[in-house]
Amino acid sequence: MSFLSKTAKPETGFESFYGTNIAGSQVATSEMNEEEMPASNAYRYIKDELLMDGTPALNLASFVTTYMEEEAEKLMMENLSKNFIDVEGESACGEIETRCVNIIARLFHAPEENGKCQALGVSTIGSSEAIILSVLAAKRRWQHMRKAAGKPYDKPNLVMNSAVQVCWEKAARYLEVEEKYWYCKDNEFAANPQELIDLVDENTILVCAILGTTYTGQYEDVKEIDRLLGEKNKAEGLSVYIHVDGASGGFVAPFANPDLEWDFRLPHVCSINASGHKYGLTYAGVGWAIWRNKSFLPDDILFTVNYLGSPQVSFTLNFSKSGVHVIGQYYQFLRLGKAGYRNIMTNLTNTSDWLAEKIASIEGSNGVTKFEILGDNLGGSGLPLVAWKLKNKEDYDEYAVARTLRSRGWIVPAYTMAPHAETLKLLRVVVREDFSLQRATTFLRDLLDTIQILDKAPASVHEYQKLVHKEATQAKAEASSKHTDVDDSHSLQGKHGKTHGIC
Ligand SMILES: *Cc1c(COP(=O)(O)O)cnc(C)c1O
């Protein structure tokens, strides 16, 4: 008699979930069940499975919001059945999006003419969609210019740091634009402005500047990049502009470092993206793309759709989508105001500085400091995150530190640096809104314990850990080589199963 048939008893309808057939057997995972099941059972089953994902608040790997107030959650829950695009006549959701675009454009110092803000923008699913749209707009603008001048327009390129987030590679590949990289060095992870601008030529559609790289959180020197690009444009008769990837920094710098000039205050910044679901403090599902003015959005990529009786301009990759994220974003703007964002970002900056200092001062049993902090983000000069590496040769590596911390529930990524500096391994903690100083203190306690455990573990444990890591990496690489047959000659991330694609 099989295990399953033993548990297949007739149901009375009164069983507690853990006495039902579904709790006592495997559920269908590849084909739909023939029969229905009670709503409460489906709920409990999936809820239990999702527990394996860990506690979002202890996931220090992610930039994405894990806390919103109850009132925000209520508002979002109440509007779950709303399709963002279903608007008849006046759309409250559309109006809220417009307000958010205006608020963000002014936060980024969009230029005004006759008291009117010239910027245009859209809500997206995240910064990835915003970046793909920005690259598309830039490519099309460049093509029109080249065509008008009777020059070839078949070799567009993008100039950027090799430490870009994976969405830039997607944008380049999907839209058939050549990737021209400034490569990270062993001790330099933010693009060197002169070396970056030296890559610009007549086929460059856009220079990308990152306001907070995902690897070390450093802000690139957008002001210097802007100045050098201006000189180059003038000297060579070019018309190249900058897109700032403010996925994380876009909602941090205006509050934690208001004097830093990185946005539309600089004359060559044509577009900016920011993730509402990172430091915009909204749950996952919202990003923003903002253009300096209409001249950067060619007409032939804007669609006017006549939907439910009214014409609407559309420049997005999706049509239908949830409206709740834009609503949640507006809640935060209204609720927090500039003072609220400033208070939160100041706390996060202070916590991050505190944690960096503490980690740098951790000593091993021999009295020698263990770690070196990478990137200089102190005092709001970069993102509130701490990236660090082991300073000395140890019997264990950063992956072992991450794995040991995981046994306490903390998710801390260990990863290798961007291409050309990938021998460097690092660990990273992103300081998010709900990572208070008290939680940071608890984390530090567990990091100290981790070091003690690893320092005292016998060599065989370290050998075993390395073996497990190697096998897991190899398995990943094999799996990915089976599933992709793309020409990898330009690929920088996700190669050989290495963890470049952190986000
Ligand atoms: C997170 C991130 C992205 C991608 O943003 P999503 O909102 O996750 O699509 C792009 N660039 C940088 C620098 C990021 O940190």
Side-chain angles (χ1 to χ4, degrees), residues 126-128 131 165 167 210 212 214 245 247-248 275 277-278:
S127 279
S128 301
I131 286 166
Q165 212 263 0
C167 68
I210 317 170
T214 50
D245 180 353
S248 295
S275 292
H277 55 216
K278 290 185 177 174

Side-chain angles (χ1 to χ4, degrees), residues 87-90 305-312:
V87 237
E88 198 170 5
E90 298 292 307
V305 285
N306 199 323
Y307 188 64
L308 295 177
S310 61
Q312 297 172 39

Side-chain angles (χ1 to χ4, degrees), residues 74-147:
K74 183 161 176 264
L75 202 54
M76 292 170 83
M77 290 291 286
E78 286 166 2
N79 284 282
L80 271 180
S81 60
K82 189 170 272 183
N83 181 3
F84 185 77
I85 210 75
D86 278 346
V87 237
E88 198 170 5
E90 298 292 307
S91 148
C93 224
E95 165 65 24
I96 285 177
E97 182 195 37
T98 304
R99 289 182 199 173
C100 289
V101 167
N102 285 331
I103 287 171
I104 298 166
R106 285 196 168 78
L107 193 63
F108 296 170
H109 300 92
E112 292 189 8
E113 252 173 55
N114 308 322
K116 229 181 145 259
C117 178
Q118 300 299 302
L120 292 125
V122 280
S123 69
T124 57
I125 297 295
S127 279
S128 301
E129 185 189 1
I131 286 166
I132 292 169
L133 293 173
S134 302
V135 171
L136 174 62
K139 179 182 173 188
R140 201 51 66 88
R141 179 180 164 275
W142 172 85
Q143 284 174 327
H144 288 319
M145 266 179 356
R146 299 281 292 179
K147 251 187 239 181

Side-chain angles (χ1 to χ4, degrees), residues 4 21 37 44 60 100 107 135 151 155 164 210 218 245 275 285 287 314 324 343 352 366 392 398 408 413 422 473 502:
L4 289 187
N21 285 335
M37 72 166 73
R44 171 56 58 185
L60 309 183
C100 289
L107 193 63
V135 171
K151 293 183 174 155
K155 289 199 167 55
V164 285
I210 317 170
Q218 287 164 286
D245 180 353
S275 292
S314 171
V324 303
N343 291 338
S352 169
N366 53 4
N392 323 302
E398 286 78 358
R408 288 284 175 94
E422 62 268 81
T473 316
I502 54 155

